Amino acid sequence: MSVETNSAGLVSVVVPAYNEARGINTAIRQMAGILEGCQSNWEIIVVDDGSRDATYRNICELSEQEPRVKAVALSRNFGKEGALLAGLEYAAGDAVITLDADLQHPPGLIPDMLAKWRQGAQIVHAVKRNRNRDSMAKKATAFCINKIISGLGGININNSSDFKLLDREIVDIIVYQLPERQRFFRGLTSWLGFTEDYIYFDVDDRLEGESKWSVWSLLELSITALTSFTSLPLRIVTFLGIATLLLGAGVATDAVLSYMKGQAVSGFATTIITLLLIGSFIMISLGIIGEYIAKIYEEVKARPLYLVKASNGFAKAPTSRQ
Ligand code: UDP
Ligand code: MG
């Protein structure tokens, strides 16, 4: 990978967008302006993730004025992970930058990312310096999940974001060589290795509207993140089993000793507590095992992560891995 090739190369910007009609024009214009200032050859690919508003129409209109802005419309809302993957598949760039449509990932950092890429970084991670704009619940969930995955999955995703620059080699690996359906883009890009570099940014307020993540979709993503990077929860099941066994042994010894001393075996409360404890351990364990089985089921079904309904501005659709 020579420096000359990089500076001459095409840079793609992939923007997943779900119901972003109100702000998308401003955001894309801002991104285009910044790209224009630092890179002659660029394209912006907006992936409309099944929006119910005018997002796709707006991008198509922009695309008429500026053919380097292209659009892909998914057949329904597949979630950000699917939209990101679709964008990576359509992107033709020697470097591909992924960023949000709401300007919470400041496009002003694109020149810095490109500079790091030109210096040889194959993945540039943009790391959040603050999370002041996130709700307490989101901060807490993100903190726990990131800590667990970083600690156990052997990858560092603390304060990481989906704002990244990926070299073509990395994009091809993500698109063609990673067979899994359950995807956690942030984790996967950290797991890959290669030459990484980091830049830091403050999370701005959303340009328009509200966060598209519901508590449920965040929970889903967290479970996918956990199950794809660590099997520790399964081991917890084993530990719960051992803990229950020890507890049972303790209670049994106590009962036998009391019996030998001729005392009445103490009672009812202990039995109920033990039953409830063991009952909940079993339910939790089944739940954990169930989550892993559900993920295996998803993988075995091997359904595509997204379906494309329409696209605008591409000479031809990419050869899909799906
Ligand atoms: N997004 C998407 N599909 C979804 C949810 C979100 O493509 O199902 C996009 C959204 O339009 C935005 C980005 O993913 O460009 C990040 O979403 P959001 O700003 O709602 O998340 P937050 O910044 O709160 O993490
Ligand atoms: Mg956002």
Side-chain angles (χ1 to χ4, degrees):
M1 190 181 56
S2 77
V3 171
E4 287 73 21
T5 326
N6 277 350
S7 49
L10 170 69
V11 170
S12 307
V13 170
V14 166
V15 186
Y18 178 51
N19 293 340
E20 302 281 7
R22 274 158 63 199
I24 194 85
N25 290 35
T26 319
I28 300 301
R29 286 216 178 87
Q30 188 170 331
M31 291 173 202
I34 287 163
L35 283 164
E36 197 65 31
C38 65
Q39 172 76 23
S40 55
N41 199 2
W42 57 264
E43 62 173 3
I44 296 178
I45 299 170
V46 185
V47 184
D48 170 27
D49 186 15
S51 301
R52 283 185 296 270
D53 62 6
T55 305
Y56 187 64
R57 202 171 346 119
N58 289 2
I59 317 158
C60 289
E61 280 168 19
L62 272 179
S63 182
E64 306 256 296
Q65 300 157 22
E66 170 53 83
R68 288 176 287 181
V69 175
K70 301 167 186 179
V72 181
L74 304 189
S75 62
R76 64 166 173 84
N77 180 237
F78 281 90
K80 189 180 177 185
E81 294 286 325
L84 276 173
L85 184 67
L88 291 184
E89 286 199 17
Y90 274 76
D94 299 296
V96 180
I97 296 170
T98 51
L99 83 176
D100 286 359
D102 56 6
L103 293 182
Q104 284 197 297
H105 295 162
L109 289 183
I110 291 176
D112 292 350
M113 289 180 129
L114 288 173
K116 295 215 180 263
W117 172 57
R118 287 181 184 130
Q119 284 158 15
Q122 289 172 290
I123 308 178
V124 182
H125 302 277
V127 180
K128 295 175 187 166
R129 211 182 277 135
N130 70 25
R131 285 182 164 270
N132 298 344
R133 302 299 197 281
D134 287 348
S135 66
M136 275 309 284
K138 199 167 167 188
K139 264 189 236 173
T141 323
F143 180 81
C144 296
I145 298 294
N146 289 349
K147 275 275 173 273
I148 295 175
I149 296 173
S150 300
L152 304 165
I155 51 170
N156 180 10
I157 58 159
N158 286 327
N159 287 329
S160 75
S161 69
D162 291 333
F163 185 14
K164 302 200 185 276
L165 178 146
L166 310 173
D167 183 74
R168 169 56 36 195
E169 192 181 346
I170 306 297
V171 175
D172 285 345
I173 291 175
I174 293 179
V175 172
Y176 299 107
Q177 285 187 32
L178 299 179
E180 67 223 80
R181 305 274 138 184
Q182 300 294 315
R183 280 172 180 254
F184 180 53
F185 180 68
R186 235 170 282 178
L188 278 181
T189 40
S190 301
W191 171 87
L192 288 170
F194 291 89
T195 320
E196 298 172 274
D197 210 336
Y198 300 85
I199 55 168
Y200 298 86
F201 73 103
D202 295 317
V203 184
D204 284 335
D205 275 333
R206 232 180 182 280
L207 179 64
E208 288 283 352
E210 284 171 358
S211 172
K212 304 295 183 298
W213 292 97
S214 61
V215 174
W216 184 249
S217 52
L218 269 179
L219 188 72
E220 279 268 7
L221 184 70
S222 309
I223 292 177
T224 303
L226 272 178
T227 49
S228 21
F229 283 98
T230 169
S231 42
L232 182 91
L234 285 173
R235 223 157 277 155
I236 292 176
V237 172
T238 319
F239 291 133
L240 279 180
I242 295 171
T244 320
L245 180 72
L246 292 178
L247 191 79
V251 175
T253 320
D254 179 51
V256 172
L257 286 179
S258 306
Y259 179 75
M260 284 177 2
K261 282 186 212 147
Q263 292 164 353
V265 177
S266 69
F268 185 67
T270 328
T271 318
I272 293 293
I273 290 168
T274 316
L275 266 179
L276 283 177
L277 264 180
I278 294 176
S280 43
F281 281 179
I282 292 174
M283 300 291 251
I284 292 169
S285 306
L286 281 177
I288 294 174
I289 297 168
E291 287 300 337
Y292 279 88
I293 294 179
K295 295 299 173 201
I296 298 170
Y297 179 52
E298 293 294 325
E299 295 291 337
V300 171
K301 276 193 293 185
R303 287 203 186 136
L305 273 166
Y306 66 87
L307 292 170
V308 174
K309 175 168 75 175
S311 66
N312 190 318
F314 296 92
K316 67 177 179 62
T319 8
S320 176
R321 72 177 193 115
Q322 305 199 61

